[in-house]
Amino acid sequence: RDTLIAFIQSKLVNGKLTASMINTGIELKYLTELKAAFRSMFEGAHGQGQKDALGELPKQFKDVKAKSGIALKPQEAIDYLTAKTDFVVSGVKDPIVSDTKRVLLNTLKNGDTVSETVSKLQSIYEPYLADGSVITDGKQATSYRLETITRTNMSEAYNWGRREVGDSSEGYVTGYQFSEILDDRTTEISIYVDGLVVKADSPYIADLTYPLHYSDRGVFVFVTKDDGPVDYISDAEALKIIGMMEGFK
């Protein structure tokens, strides 16, 4: 942020802000480092999900999985994590660059002062750097903060790792129970799903795999053949939960 704003401020002070510079000269630094950081965190969460899940299976299944390489990252997992990293970084970069260009074009059109322009540029970054108290259009800008973006996608990587193990357990894992942290931060959908069980082979399992909302802290718990009769949610119930996500996925 500071590097980009200092660059723009120097152009404004020297009267060198042009439409051409706005369209071609606005770039964010450290994107390579940001991608590497996200990739490392996602891989770590994915691997930890697998490790924790393997530790919950009986010994005979742990041995089978170790021999078949379930604890390793297969190529499709590597490809997915790479694509996911690029997608997440683009989700951070693209709105910032677009909003920056919009502010600068308006500066050219309206003749805003340097201080007015800098103030507007700083406000663009607030949702990504704030502690959660920033209010935008009457609602907290939580869905755009880097902390929230990171936590949400690490939840996905972790639970995906758990499901890889469960789905490869030769039918021992028959379903997944939604397990939520219940406190004053728990959302309505998390309260609703807590304790419910979805079949491992449900056609909606991908949509129902955590996270179900931004900063979701829920975890899939294994339900196995040893657990006896289980009351699985119906397809209609699954669709109801998906509807409660309000387009999150």
Side-chain angles (χ1 to χ4, degrees), residues 208-225:
L208 293 175
T209 299
Y210 285 113
L212 307 181
H213 59 80
Y214 291 108
S215 295
D216 197 344
R217 297 171 291 165
V219 174
F220 263 163
V221 175
F222 289 162
V223 174
T224 72
K225 289 182 175 179

Side-chain angles (χ1 to χ4, degrees), residues 55-187:
E56 297 166 17
L57 292 176
K59 187 176 185 302
Q60 66 267 30
F61 291 103
K62 285 187 258 188
D63 290 342
V64 169
K65 293 311 143 192
K67 291 177 183 177
S68 65
I70 188 66
L72 303 177
K73 292 189 288 291
Q75 186 59 47
E76 63 181 22
I78 294 174
D79 292 343
Y80 174 81
L81 290 171
T82 298
K84 184 69 175 180
T85 299
D86 290 343
F87 176 76
V88 170
V89 171
S90 293
V92 174
K93 179 194 74 172
D94 293 348
I96 290 177
V97 172
S98 177
D99 287 346
T100 298
K101 290 181 177 180
R102 174 181 52 78
V103 167
L104 295 180
L105 288 171
N106 282 337
T107 293
L108 287 181
K109 181 179 69 173
N110 302 327
D112 293 341
T113 65
V114 173
S115 60
E116 288 173 337
T117 302
V118 169
S119 176
K120 291 177 181 178
L121 291 173
Q122 289 173 333
S123 69
I124 291 172
Y125 285 84
E126 285 299 330
Y128 298 88
L129 304 176
D131 60 3
S133 60
V134 175
I135 304 297
T136 302
D137 295 331
K139 35 195 304 195
Q140 218 173 25
T142 52
S143 61
Y144 298 104
R145 291 187 296 120
L146 279 177
E147 179 184 350
T148 300
I149 293 170
T150 303
R151 185 186 302 119
T152 302
N153 285 280
M154 286 183 68
S155 170
E156 179 181 2
Y158 179 82
N159 281 284
W160 180 42
R162 290 184 62 81
R163 264 198 56 213
E164 282 183 334
V165 173
D167 290 352
S168 301
S169 66
E170 301 172 351
Y172 178 70
V173 173
T174 60
Y176 300 97
Q177 183 178 50
F178 295 96
S179 179
E180 298 282 353
I181 297 175
L182 302 179
D183 55 23
D184 58 359
R185 294 168 51 196
T186 308
T187 62

